[in-house]
C-alpha cells in the first residue's frame, strides 16, 4: 500500500510536474479497485490537511511549488492581517482586508503571494483557501433588532459583527453576553452568520466578565467524565510494593522541603542541599512523577495535550489535570510518601558540575515552607515562634542561599539577561470585584528556587541532548539584528552605549551589562521593556537551539509536569530511557521523533492562548479597579509612545493612554526611533521613561482600557487651527500647509491673495497656502429641504448617500484634519429628504477644479459634494445615528441660514440657503437592490431574509412629520423613511435586512442600558 509520505516526497522533487490522479495512479502502478479507492481517499485526506494542493485543472502538487504559502493568519483590529508562515525562513505576508475571503483570525490558510516590494522586502497576498478554522464560536454582546440581531464580538480582531436570524436567538436579549456558533463565515461584504448556543448572563453581572474571557479563548473548564474516571482510579497513597517493584531510589530519610507561595496547592517541586565529605555541594531537585499516573494515549493524556498547560486567571485556576491528581497524589505534600523524578547535581568549589544523576525516586518532604517564612528566616525578620519551629532547617537554608547566589553570579557572568520587572497581584473580593493591586515581591526565597530550577532544567537538557533521543527543548532564538540595532540607537538617547561583537553581532552579555548599568536609574524599567520587545518569544522545539536570554546552550522544561504538558512528555522519555538502559528501541525512537514537532507546536500555541487569557483578565480587573477613580490624580512614567498617543504606567502597574488628540497645547509628531512625541511649535518632548502627572479621564469597561489626561495641559488658543478637526477661525502658523505662515482677518487675506469681500478669486483663495481663510459663497444644492445643522467630523449628522438631487441648502459644518503637513478632509454627505437619498452639489468660488485631499485644495476653486445636516429648528439634532432628537436629519425641516465651513480647501461661506422640492430617488433603495446576490450559501438574499422573518415596507413617516418613501432599520429611518411609530408598525423591510446582513457592524445597537452606539 502506498504511504502518504511517498506521495508528498514525489511531489517535492524538482523534476516533478503536476499530475492528475490518473497519471499518479499510473506512476505508482495501482492495479486493484480497492487499492485505487484507498489511493483516492488518501489524496483527498492530504488535500484537506493542506499537505498537497489540487489545481483548477485537477492536477496535484505541493503548495510551495504552486506559489502558495501555508501558515497561520494573524488578524488586526483594523481589518487587515498577516500570514505567519509555517516555513520559518519565509517572510510574513501582508493581507488586505478585502483579500481575506472567508478567513478569520487564527485560521490555517493557503495564501497566494500577489506582489513584492522593491528589493523583495514586503510581500502582499490573498487567501485562496482555509485549511483549518480556528473560530467555531464567538463570544460577544447580543444586540437585538426585533426580527434579527447582531453579536458584537469581544475579540476586536473580529472586525464585523455576527448576524443572528430570529430563529437562532435562543432566548437571548440585548445586553447579554452570549456564545455564538458560526454557521456561515464572512464572504465578501457579508457578515458572518451564527446561532446562540450559550447565554452567559448580562454583561454587568458579577463573574460574567471572567466567564466571557474563558469562552472567548475557548478554555475548557469541566473535565469529561472519562477523564475524571481515570483520575478517580488513581490511588490515594503509595505502597512499598510499588516502590520496590519500580526500582526507585529511596530518599525519604533526606531533609527535603517544598518552598512555594502561601496560596499554592499543587506542589510539584522540592529541593535539598547537602555538604559532601569532599567539600562539594550536592543540589537535589525532586519533581512530582506525574507521568507514572498519566500514561500515554489515555483520556487523561489526550486532555492534558489539548489543554497544554494550566491557566492562572485573577480569581481562579483552570488546571491541566483534575484536582484529584494535581492537588492529591501528585502534589508533594508534607510528611507523606510521593513518587518523584530526581536530578542531583554535584558542584565543586568553582561551581562546576562534576557529577550528576537523573533517576526515579520516592521522597517524604519534611516541611511545606512558604516564600515569606524563608525570607524572614534568612533576613532575621522572623517571629520567635517561626525561628524556633524551623531551627533545624536554618543551616540548610543558609547553604541554599549561598549556593543560589553563586549560581546566579555565574549565570550573569556568562551573559544571561535578568529582567527584574515588578509584577502585580490583583486582590478581589468574594464577587470577583478588585479591591487592591499590590506588587509581587521577588525576595531571596523566590530567587533561590528560581536558580535551582534553572540548574536542573539545563542539566536535564544537556544530558538528553548528548544521548540523541527525541526530546522537547525550551528555545529562545537570537534577536533580529535590525531590531537590536534600533535598540542600540535608542539607548544612546539616554547616554548609554553598547559594544557589538564580531560582524556587529550583540552578545547577551552586552545586554546584561547594560541592565547592570541602568540598575536603580529612572529609565531602568523603560529600557528593560524596550529590550524585551526587541527579542523573540521563547517557545518549545524538538531541536536544541539554545536559549539566548539565559545564555544557555541547552535548556528544557523539566520542573512542572503538573501544569505544563512538555514537562510531562519529557518525564515519559526519561522513564523509557532509564528502563531501557540509557537508550530507546528503534520503533519507539522513530515514533517519538515523529511526534515531537507536533507536541512542541501545540504546547507553544496553548501557552500563547494562556498568556493572552491572563492578560485579558488582568486588563479587565485593572479597568474595573480604576472605574471609581475617574478624576483622581496619579504619578506615572511614559511606558510606550505610539503614533496615536502615549501609554502611562502608574506605580501600581496600571497602564492607561493619553491620546494624541488630548495633547491640545501643540501638534505632536511621533519619532519612532527616539520613542518620543515632539511638538511642532513648542518643541516640547514627551519621551519614553519620562515621569508625568496624570488624571484619570475615562475608563471603558467594553474595551478594558483606561484614558489619562495631563494635569498641566493648556487648551489651544481660541481660533487656532485644530488638526483634529473643528471650526473655523484664524489660522495659526503652518499647521500642515507646506510650511507657509499666513495671517487672516475674518477670512480676508492681508496680502490680497485670499480673496476679497468673502469671495475667493480663481485658484487663489487660500488654496495654495497664500494666506489664511477666505470667505466663500454659500453652497446651494439641487433640491429637498435640509435642516439647519452642524455636521462635524466623524459625528456628522448624516451618512454618505447615494447620488441624487434631494438635499438642499446645507447648514452643515465640515471638518477637515491636517496631518503631517497635509490637510486631510473628512466630508460627510447626508442622506436625502422627502424622496430618495441625495447629495448636495455646489461650488466654492468660481471654477470647477477638484480639490486634492492632502494639504492643498486643488489648483482652482474646489468642487465639493455633500451637505451637512441636523440641528433643525426644533427638529432632530446631534451626533451619529442616535435616536431621541439625535438622529440623521432626513426629513424636511424648512429652510434657514446656511453656513458651510471647510478646512481642507480653506474656505468659509455664509449665506441664505434655498429650499427646493427633492427630485432624487423615485424608488426606494430596496427596490433598486431587489436582485441582490447571495450572502453565502442557501439561496438568494430575498429568500434568505424571508426565511428569517423579514417583511417589506414601502412607506413611512419622516421625522419632520412629512410623509415620504423609505426604509427602516430597527426603528432607524433612512432616506426620508418613517420614524419611531412607523418603524414599530413596519418591522424590518427587505432593504434594511440586506443592509444588516451584508454590512454587519454598520447598524445601531442598544447595549442594554438604553444607550445607542454606532460601530464603525
Amino acid at each position: 500500500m502506498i504511504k502518504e509520505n511517498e506521495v508528498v516526497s514525489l511531489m517535492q522533487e524538482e523534476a516533478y510536474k503536476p499530475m492528475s490522479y490518473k497519471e499518479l495512479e499510473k506512476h505508482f502502478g495501482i492495479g486493484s479497485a480497492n487499492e485505487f479507492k484507498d489511493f483516492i481517499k488518501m489524496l483527498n485526506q492530504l488535500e484537506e490537511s493542506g499537505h498537497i494542493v489540487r489545481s483548477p485543472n485537477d492536477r496535484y502538487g505541493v503548495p510551495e511549488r504552486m506559489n502558495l504559502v501555508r501558515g497561520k493568519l494573524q488578524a488586526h483590529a483594523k481589518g487587515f492581517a498577516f500570514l505567519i508562515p509555517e516555513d520559518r525562513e519565509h517572510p510574513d505576508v501582508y493581507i488586505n482586508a478585502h483579500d481575506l475571503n472567508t478567513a478569520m483570525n487564527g485560521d490555517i490558510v493557503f495564501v497566494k503571494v500577489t506582489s513584492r516590494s522593491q528589493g523583495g522586502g514586503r510581500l502582499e497576498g490573498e487567501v485562496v483557501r482555509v485549511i483549518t478554522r480556528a473560530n467555531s464560536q464567538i463570544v460577544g454582546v447580543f444586540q437585538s433588532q426585533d426580527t434579527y440581531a447582531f453579536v458584537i464580538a469581544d475579540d476586536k480582531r473580529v472586525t464585523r459583527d455576527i448576524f443572528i436570524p430570529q430563529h437562532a436567538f435562543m432566548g437571548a436579549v440585548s445586553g447579554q453576553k452570549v456564545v455564538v456558533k458560526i454557521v456561515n463565515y464572512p464572504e465578501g461584504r457579508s457578515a458572518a452568520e451564527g446561532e446562540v448556543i450559550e447565554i452567559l448572563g448580562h454583561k454587568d453581572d458579577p463573574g460574567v466578565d471572567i466567564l466571557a474571557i474563558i469562552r472567548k479563548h475557548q478554555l475548557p473548564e469541566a473535565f469529561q467524565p472519562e477523564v475524571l474516571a481515570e483520575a478517580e482510579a488513581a490511588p490515594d497513597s503509595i505502597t512499598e510494593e510499588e516502590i520496590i517493584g519500580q526500582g526507585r531510589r529511596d530518599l525519604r530519610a533526606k531533609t527535603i522541603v517544598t518552598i512555594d507561595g502561601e496560596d499554592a496547592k499543587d506542589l510539584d517541586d522540592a529541593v535539598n542541599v547537602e555538604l559532601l565529605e569532599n567539600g562539594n555541594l550536592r543540589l537535589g531537585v525532586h519533581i512530582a512523577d506525574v507521568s507514572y499516573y498519566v500514561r500515554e494515549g489515555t483520556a487523561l493524556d489526550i486532555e492534558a495535550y489539548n489543554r497544554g498547560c494550566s491557566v492562572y486567571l485573577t480569581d481562579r485556576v483552570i488546571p491541566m489535570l483534575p484536582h484529584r491528581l494535581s492537588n492529591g497524589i501528585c502534589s508533594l505534600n508534607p510528611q507523606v510518601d510521593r513518587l518523584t523524578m530526581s536530578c542531583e547535581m554535584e558542584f565543586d568549589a568553582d561551581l562546576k558540575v562534576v557529577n550528576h544523576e537523573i533517576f526515579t525516586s520516592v521522597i517524604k518532604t519534611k516541611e511545606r515552607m512558604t516564600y515569606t517564612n524563608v525570607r524572614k528566616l534568612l533576613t532575621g525578620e522572623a517571629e520567635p515562634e517561626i525561628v524556633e519551629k524551623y531551627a533545624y532547617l536554618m543551616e540548610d537554608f543558609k547553604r541554599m542561599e549561598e549556593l543560589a547566589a553563586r549560581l546566579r553570579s555565574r549565570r550573569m557572568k556568562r551573559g544571561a539577561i535578568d529582567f527584574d520587572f515588578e509584577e502585580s497581584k490583583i486582590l478581589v473580593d468574594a464577587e470577583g470585584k478588585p479591591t487592591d493591586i499590590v506588587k509581587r515581591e521577588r525576595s531571596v526565597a523566590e530567587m533561590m528556587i528560581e536558580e535551582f530550577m534553572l540548574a536542573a532544567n539545563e542539566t536535564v537538557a544537556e544530558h538528553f541532548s548528548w544521548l540523541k533521543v527525541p526530546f522537547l527543548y525550551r528555545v529562545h532564538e537570537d534577536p533580529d539584528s535590525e531590531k537590536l540595532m534600533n535598540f542600540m540607537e535608542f539607548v544612546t538617547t539616554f547616554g548609554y552605549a553598547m559594544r557589538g561583537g564580531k560582524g556587529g553581532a550583540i552578545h547577551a552579555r552586552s545586554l546584561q551589562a547594560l541592565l547592570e548599568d541602568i540598575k536603580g536609574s529612572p529609565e531602568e524599567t523603560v529600557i528593560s521593556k524596550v529590550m524585551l520587545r526587541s527579542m523573540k518569544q521563547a517557545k518549545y522545539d524538538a531541536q536544541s537551539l539554545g536559549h539566548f536570554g539565559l545564555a544557555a546552550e541547552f535548556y528544557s522544561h523539566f520542573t512542572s509536569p503538573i501544569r505544563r504538558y512538555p514537562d510531562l512528555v519529557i518525564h515519559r522519555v526519561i522513564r523509557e530511557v532509564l528502563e531501557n538502559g540509557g537508550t530507546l528501541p528503534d520503533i519507539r525512537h522513530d515514533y517519538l521523533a515523529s511526534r515531537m514537532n507536533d507536541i512542541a507546536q501545540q504546547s507553544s500555541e496553548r501557552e500563547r492562548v494562556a498568556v493572552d487569557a491572563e492578560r485579558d483578565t488582568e486588563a479587565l480587573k485593572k479597568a474595573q479597579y480604576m472605574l471609581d477613580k475617574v478624576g483622581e490624580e496619579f504619578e506615572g512614567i511614559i511606558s510606550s509612545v505610539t503614533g496615536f498617543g502615549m501609554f502611562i504606567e502608574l506605580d501600581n502597574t496600571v497602564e492607561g493612554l493619553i491620546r494624541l488628540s488630548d495633547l491640545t497645547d501643540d501638534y505632536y509628531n511621533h519619532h519612532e526611533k527616539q520613542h518620543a512625541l515632539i511638538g511642532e511649535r513648542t518643541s516640547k518632548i514627551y519621551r519614553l521613561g519620562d515621569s508625568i502627572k496624570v488624571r484619570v479621564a475615562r475608563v471603558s469597561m467594553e474595551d478594558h482600557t483606561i484614558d489619562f489626561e495631563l494635569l498641566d495641559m493648556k487648551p489651544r488658543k481660541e481660533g487656532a487651527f485644530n488638526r483634529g478637526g473643528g471650526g473655523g477661525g484664524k489660522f495659526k502658523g503652518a499647521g500642515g500647509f507646506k510650511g507657509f505662515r499666513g495671517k487672516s482677518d475674518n477670512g480676508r487675506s492681508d496680502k490680497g491673495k485670499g480673496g476679497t469681500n468673502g469671495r475667493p478669486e480663481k485658484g487663489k483663495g487660500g488654496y495654495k497656502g497664500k494666506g489664511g481663510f477666505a470667505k466663500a459663497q454659500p453652497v446651494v444644492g439641487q433640491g429637498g429641504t435640509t435642516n439647519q445643522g452642524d455636521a462635524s467630523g466623524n459625528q456628522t449628522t448624516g451618512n454618505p448617500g447615494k447620488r441624487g438631487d434631494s438635499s438642499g441648502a446645507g447648514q452643515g459644518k465640515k471638518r477637515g484634519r491636517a496631518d503631517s503637513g497635509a490637510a486631510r478632509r473628512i466630508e460627510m454627505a447626508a442622506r436625502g429628504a422627502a424622496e430618495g437619498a441625495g447629495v448636495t452639489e455646489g461650488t466654492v468660488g468660481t471654477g470647477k477644479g477638484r480639490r486634492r485631499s492632502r494639504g492643498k485644495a486643488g489648483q482652482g476653486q474646489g468642487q465639493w459634494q455633500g451637505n451637512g445636516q441636523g440641528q433643525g429648528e426644533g427638529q432632530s439634532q446631534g451626533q451619529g445615528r442616535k435616536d431621541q432628537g439625535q438622529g440623521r436629519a432626513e426629513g424636511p425641516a424648512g429652510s434657514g441660514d446656511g453656513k458651510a465651513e471647510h478646512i481642507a480647501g480653506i474656505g468659509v461661506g455664509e449665506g441664505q440657503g434655498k429650499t427646493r422640492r427633492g427630485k432624487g430617488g423615485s424608488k426606494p433603495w430596496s427596490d433598486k437592490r431587489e436582485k441582490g446576490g447571495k450572502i453565502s450559501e442557501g439561496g438568494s438574499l430575498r429568500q434568505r431574509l424571508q426565511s428569517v422573518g423579514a417583511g417589506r415596507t414601502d412607506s413611512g413617516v419622516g421625522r419632520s412629520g412629512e410623509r415620504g418613501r423609505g426604509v427602516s432599520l430597527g426603528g432607524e429611518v433612512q432616506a426620508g423613511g418613517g420614524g419611531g411609530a412607523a418603524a414599530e408598525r413596519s418591522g424590518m423591510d427587505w432593504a434594511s435586512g440586506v443592509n444588516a446582513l451584508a454590512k454587519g457592524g454598520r447598524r445601531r445597537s442598544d447595549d442594554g442600558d438604553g444607550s445607542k452606539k454606532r460601530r464603525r
Side-chain angles (χ1 to χ4, degrees):
M1 182 179 174
I2 301 164
K3 296 181 179 179
E4 291 184 353
N5 61 342
E6 293 180 58
V7 176
V8 175
S9 297
L10 169 68
M11 296 181 183
Q12 287 174 337
E13 293 176 2
E14 286 189 22
Y16 175 80
K17 302 294 183 185
M19 296 182 185
S20 66
Y21 73 90
K22 291 183 178 180
E23 292 170 331
L24 288 169
E25 175 192 3
K26 184 177 179 181
H27 175 84
F28 286 107
I30 298 173
S32 67
N34 287 335
E35 192 177 1
F36 175 74
K37 183 179 179 181
D38 292 338
F39 179 69
I40 294 298
K41 188 182 296 184
M42 182 181 65
L43 284 179
N44 289 336
Q45 290 173 346
L46 285 171
E47 185 185 357
E48 288 176 6
S49 64
H51 290 93
I52 64 174
V53 180
R54 185 173 55 175
S55 67
N57 59 354
D58 290 331
R59 293 182 176 273
Y60 292 90
V62 287
E64 56 268 25
R65 299 285 301 278
M66 304 180 78
N67 195 30
L68 297 178
V69 185
R70 175 182 167 131
K72 186 174 183 178
L73 201 69
Q74 192 175 80
H76 191 276
K78 291 184 178 179
F80 61 84
F82 285 94
L83 179 79
I84 311 301
E86 291 182 354
D87 181 2
R88 297 175 187 168
E89 303 300 321
H90 197 288
D92 295 350
V93 183
Y94 170 82
I95 303 169
N96 188 282
H98 301 296
D99 296 325
L100 288 172
N101 295 324
T102 68
M104 299 176 70
N105 181 62
D107 289 350
I108 305 298
V109 298
F110 277 140
V111 166
K112 181 180 180 181
V113 177
T114 56
S115 66
R116 298 174 183 265
S117 62
Q118 289 185 348
R122 170 163 153 161
L123 303 181
E124 294 191 20
E126 62 177 327
V127 176
V128 296
R129 184 184 155 203
V130 177
I131 302 169
T132 306
R133 294 282 184 186
N135 301 280
S136 58
Q137 60 187 45
I138 299 291
V139 179
V141 179
F142 188 85
Q143 299 291 354
S144 176
Q145 303 289 343
D146 296 333
T147 55
Y148 64 92
F150 283 98
V151 170
I152 306 169
D154 287 351
D155 188 348
K156 302 307 176 187
R157 294 170 297 186
V158 179
T159 55
R160 284 185 283 183
D161 304 333
I162 314 301
F163 177 82
I164 312 294
Q166 189 176 30
H167 66 81
F169 283 13
M170 300 293 290
V173 297
S174 290
Q176 287 184 327
K177 286 271 188 183
V178 298
V179 182
V180 174
K181 178 184 177 182
I182 296 180
V183 176
N184 291 310
Y185 286 87
E187 188 171 352
R189 292 179 176 269
S190 307
E193 187 176 337
E195 60 183 11
V196 177
I197 59 173
E198 184 181 6
I199 300 172
L200 304 180
H202 192 274
K203 62 186 180 66
D204 296 328
D205 289 347
V208 170
D209 46 11
I210 298 288
L211 193 58
I213 290 174
I214 291 172
R215 295 291 188 273
K216 170 186 171 182
H217 295 281
Q218 299 184 35
L219 300 175
E221 284 190 289
F223 289 95
Q224 296 296 323
E226 59 269 24
V227 176
L228 292 174
E230 287 185 5
E232 288 297 324
D236 291 322
S237 58
I238 299 166
T239 64
E240 289 297 325
E241 290 76 12
E242 279 184 291
I243 298 171
I244 297 171
Q246 296 173 45
R248 291 179 178 269
R249 191 176 301 182
D250 192 345
L251 305 179
R252 286 175 288 184
K254 292 194 174 186
T255 305
I256 301 174
V257 297
T258 60
I259 305 177
D260 291 277
E262 281 81 356
D263 52 355
K265 295 180 176 62
D266 50 350
L267 313 179
D268 53 6
D269 58 81
V271 294
N272 73 304
V273 174
E274 303 172 79
L275 180 61
L276 302 180
E277 293 181 359
N278 61 4
N280 291 346
L281 287 175
R282 179 191 288 151
L283 167 64
V285 176
H286 315 281
I287 308 301
D289 190 0
V290 181
S291 64
Y292 177 75
Y293 300 100
V294 182
R295 297 290 180 164
E296 184 179 8
T298 61
L300 273 170
D301 178 48
I302 295 169
E303 183 72 10
Y305 169 83
N306 291 331
R307 295 187 177 220
C309 59
S310 297
V311 185
Y312 295 84
L313 305 181
T314 304
D315 59 350
R316 71 195 74 186
V317 176
I318 301 176
M320 184 179 78
L321 298 171
H323 290 299
R324 165 81 176 177
L325 294 176
S326 61
N327 295 1
I329 192 66
C330 292
S331 184
L332 306 183
N333 299 325
Q335 300 299 329
V336 291
D337 294 346
R338 288 293 182 258
L339 303 181
T340 50
M341 192 76 71
S342 295
C343 175
E344 289 188 341
M345 298 151 279
E346 183 180 340
F347 297 92
D348 64 12
D350 297 324
L351 222 62
K352 181 181 178 181
V353 179
V354 294
N355 187 28
H356 75 272
E357 284 187 278
I358 301 167
F359 53 91
T360 58
S361 58
V362 58
I363 67 170
K364 180 187 285 188
T365 59
K366 294 292 186 282
E367 297 286 353
R368 188 256 196 254
M369 300 298 300
T370 65
Y371 291 130
T372 302
N373 284 342
V374 173
R375 173 183 59 80
K376 288 181 177 180
L377 287 168
L378 291 173
T379 58
E381 302 172 8
E383 294 79 2
E385 57 270 21
I386 294 179
V387 173
E388 182 180 353
K389 181 178 180 180
Y390 301 121
Y392 76 103
L393 294 173
M394 278 303 299
E395 189 175 349
D396 285 346
F397 288 152
K398 289 179 180 178
R399 201 174 285 134
M400 288 181 187
E401 180 185 19
E402 180 184 357
L403 177 59
R406 294 183 63 198
L407 286 172
R408 175 179 167 78
S409 177
R410 184 188 67 169
R411 191 162 56 86
M412 294 298 103
K413 285 180 181 178
R414 77 184 185 197
I417 302 170
D418 185 30
F419 292 108
D420 192 13
F421 293 128
E422 289 183 335
E423 297 182 2
S424 62
K425 182 178 181 180
I426 303 172
L427 306 180
V428 297
D429 59 18
E431 292 186 345
K433 184 179 179 180
T435 56
D436 198 6
I437 300 175
V438 297
K439 292 181 180 178
R440 292 183 185 270
E441 189 174 17
R442 190 187 182 203
S443 68
V444 60
E446 282 92 346
M447 293 174 68
M448 218 163 59
I449 294 300
E450 181 181 298
E451 292 300 328
F452 295 162
M453 298 303 113
L454 288 174
N457 285 337
E458 287 186 46
T459 301
V460 169
E462 183 174 4
H463 180 94
F464 285 92
S465 177
W466 286 112
L467 286 180
K468 298 190 181 302
V469 296
F471 212 65
L472 283 177
Y473 300 91
R474 182 70 169 177
V475 303
H476 186 215
E477 296 173 277
D478 291 355
D480 180 76
S481 57
E482 184 178 351
K483 287 186 176 181
L484 267 187
M485 291 301 291
N486 290 336
F487 173 71
M488 290 175 64
E489 186 177 339
F490 164 68
V491 298
T492 58
T493 62
F494 291 91
Y496 297 99
M498 290 178 57
R499 294 185 301 274
K502 293 181 180 179
I506 300 296
H507 192 274
R509 191 180 296 109
S510 300
L511 297 174
Q512 180 55 41
L514 176 63
L515 291 178
E516 293 293 334
D517 290 342
I518 63 175
K519 194 77 173 176
S521 67
E523 59 268 16
E524 177 185 4
T525 301
V526 171
I527 291 179
S528 298
K529 286 187 175 181
V530 176
M531 183 189 296
L532 184 61
R533 291 171 194 155
S534 302
M535 297 183 183
K536 295 182 179 179
Q537 290 180 341
K539 61 181 180 179
Y540 296 102
D541 201 288
Q543 305 297 320
S544 180
L545 305 176
H547 199 292
F548 179 83
L550 294 172
E553 185 178 356
F554 307 97
Y555 193 69
S556 65
H557 271 173
F558 161 76
T559 54
S560 296
I562 287 179
R563 61 185 180 91
R564 292 191 303 231
Y565 190 72
D567 304 51
L568 176 58
V569 171
I570 283 176
H571 279 223
R572 284 205 192 110
V573 174
I574 293 172
R575 175 189 305 284
E576 284 198 59
V577 170
L578 293 175
E579 290 174 351
N580 288 279
T583 185
L584 286 174
D586 290 343
I587 295 177
R588 285 297 293 168
H589 187 286
D590 293 343
Y591 172 75
L592 289 173
S594 69
R595 291 276 296 134
M596 287 304 171
N597 281 324
D598 174 66
I599 294 173
Q601 183 176 346
Q602 165 74 359
S603 300
S604 296
E605 289 176 357
R606 296 309 301 171
E607 180 186 42
R608 294 309 313 159
V609 170
V611 169
D612 289 344
E614 290 165 9
R615 285 177 178 169
D616 282 357
T617 307
E618 189 173 291
L620 162 72
K621 292 303 178 184
K622 285 183 176 179
Q624 210 170 24
Y625 177 73
M626 299 298 288
L627 196 58
D628 60 355
K629 293 170 178 58
V630 173
E632 294 186 22
E633 299 175 2
F634 296 90
E635 287 191 6
I637 62 168
I638 300 176
S639 58
S640 180
V641 179
T642 71
F644 53 84
M646 51 187 178
F647 287 93
I648 312 300
E649 184 177 316
L650 306 184
D651 189 53
N652 61 5
T653 72
V654 169
E655 196 171 52
L657 173 66
I658 296 179
R659 301 180 186 275
L660 205 61
S661 57
D662 290 335
L663 298 176
T664 55
D665 63 337
D666 201 346
Y667 310 112
Y668 289 87
N669 293 313
H670 176 219
H671 293 256
E672 186 175 1
K673 289 187 176 181
Q674 284 73 36
H675 295 262
L677 295 175
I678 303 178
E680 287 184 5
R681 181 174 56 83
T682 61
S683 296
K684 190 171 182 179
I685 299 175
Y686 292 103
R687 188 176 64 171
L688 201 66
D690 288 351
S691 296
I692 202 167
K693 290 185 177 181
V694 297
R695 182 186 297 111
V696 182
R698 294 171 293 275
V699 176
S700 170
M701 290 310 300
E702 181 180 348
D703 299 324
H704 306 160
T705 57
I706 302 161
D707 283 357
F708 293 143
E709 59 187 9
L710 292 175
L711 299 185
D712 56 353
M713 183 56 58
K714 297 178 181 178
R716 292 193 177 101
K717 293 181 181 179
E718 187 177 353
F721 181 73
N722 188 339
R723 276 194 166 187
K730 299 178 183 179
F731 174 63
K732 297 285 187 183
F737 289 89
K738 299 230 171 182
F740 82 93
R741 290 186 179 271
K743 56 183 180 177
S744 62
D745 186 12
N746 296 325
R748 249 181 111 168
S749 167
D750 291 341
K751 299 291 185 182
K753 297 289 186 181
T756 58
N757 297 324
R759 189 188 297 270
E761 298 175 8
K762 282 194 176 183
K764 295 181 180 179
Y767 292 125
K768 295 198 71 173
K770 298 297 185 182
F773 285 149
K775 285 197 173 181
Q777 290 278 350
V779 178
V780 180
Q782 294 298 316
T785 304
T786 307
N787 298 330
Q788 292 185 350
D790 182 359
S792 54
N794 287 330
Q795 294 180 330
T796 305
T797 54
N799 216 32
K802 301 293 180 183
R803 195 175 198 112
D805 289 334
S806 58
S807 290
Q811 284 286 347
K813 180 187 297 180
K814 305 171 71 62
R815 274 190 184 173
R817 175 169 78 89
D819 187 13
S820 299
R824 202 172 277 159
R825 192 180 46 158
I826 301 174
E827 294 185 339
M828 302 298 291
R831 286 189 184 271
E835 295 183 20
V839 173
T840 302
E841 192 170 321
T843 60
V844 177
T846 61
K848 286 269 185 175
R850 287 196 180 274
R851 294 191 302 179
R852 298 175 185 170
S853 62
R854 294 184 63 84
K856 294 182 280 189
Q859 299 300 324
Q861 280 64 41
Q863 172 180 316
W864 58 285
Q865 292 184 176
N867 65 317
Q869 56 197 48
Q871 291 189 349
E873 295 284 340
Q875 304 300 324
S876 53
Q877 56 183 337
Q879 304 171 347
R881 292 188 180 184
K882 298 186 179 180
D883 280 341
Q884 300 178 359
Q886 294 211 1
R888 306 187 208 155
E890 290 155 354
S895 64
D897 291 340
K899 180 179 180 183
E901 294 182 12
H902 59 286
I903 288 175
I906 319 304
V908 177
E910 294 185 354
Q912 287 287 333
K914 185 176 181 181
T915 62
R916 296 184 183 178
R917 182 162 180 78
K919 296 187 287 186
S922 59
K923 289 185 179 181
W925 183 70
S926 57
D927 288 347
K928 297 177 185 178
R929 291 296 299 274
E930 187 168 343
K931 296 183 180 180
K934 296 180 181 179
I935 293 304
S936 51
E937 295 182 3
S940 67
L941 276 175
R942 176 180 290 281
Q943 293 168 336
R944 294 279 303 283
L945 288 161
Q946 286 176 351
S947 72
V948 298
R952 177 167 179 163
T953 303
D954 287 327
S955 63
V957 179
R959 294 189 184 178
S960 62
E962 295 188 16
R963 290 187 176 273
R965 293 165 67 84
V967 297
S968 63
L969 176 60
E972 176 186 18
V973 182
Q974 296 191 18
E984 290 178 9
R985 290 195 302 270
S986 65
M988 183 189 80
D989 67 351
W990 188 88
S992 63
V994 173
N995 187 50
L997 188 58
K999 296 183 179 179
R1002 293 185 177 272
R1003 78 279 168 258
R1004 296 188 322 174
S1005 60
D1006 184 348
D1007 62 4
D1009 57 3
S1011 64
K1012 306 284 182 180
K1013 294 184 175 63
R1014 175 177 178 181
R1015 289 171 54 84
R1016 296 186 180 275

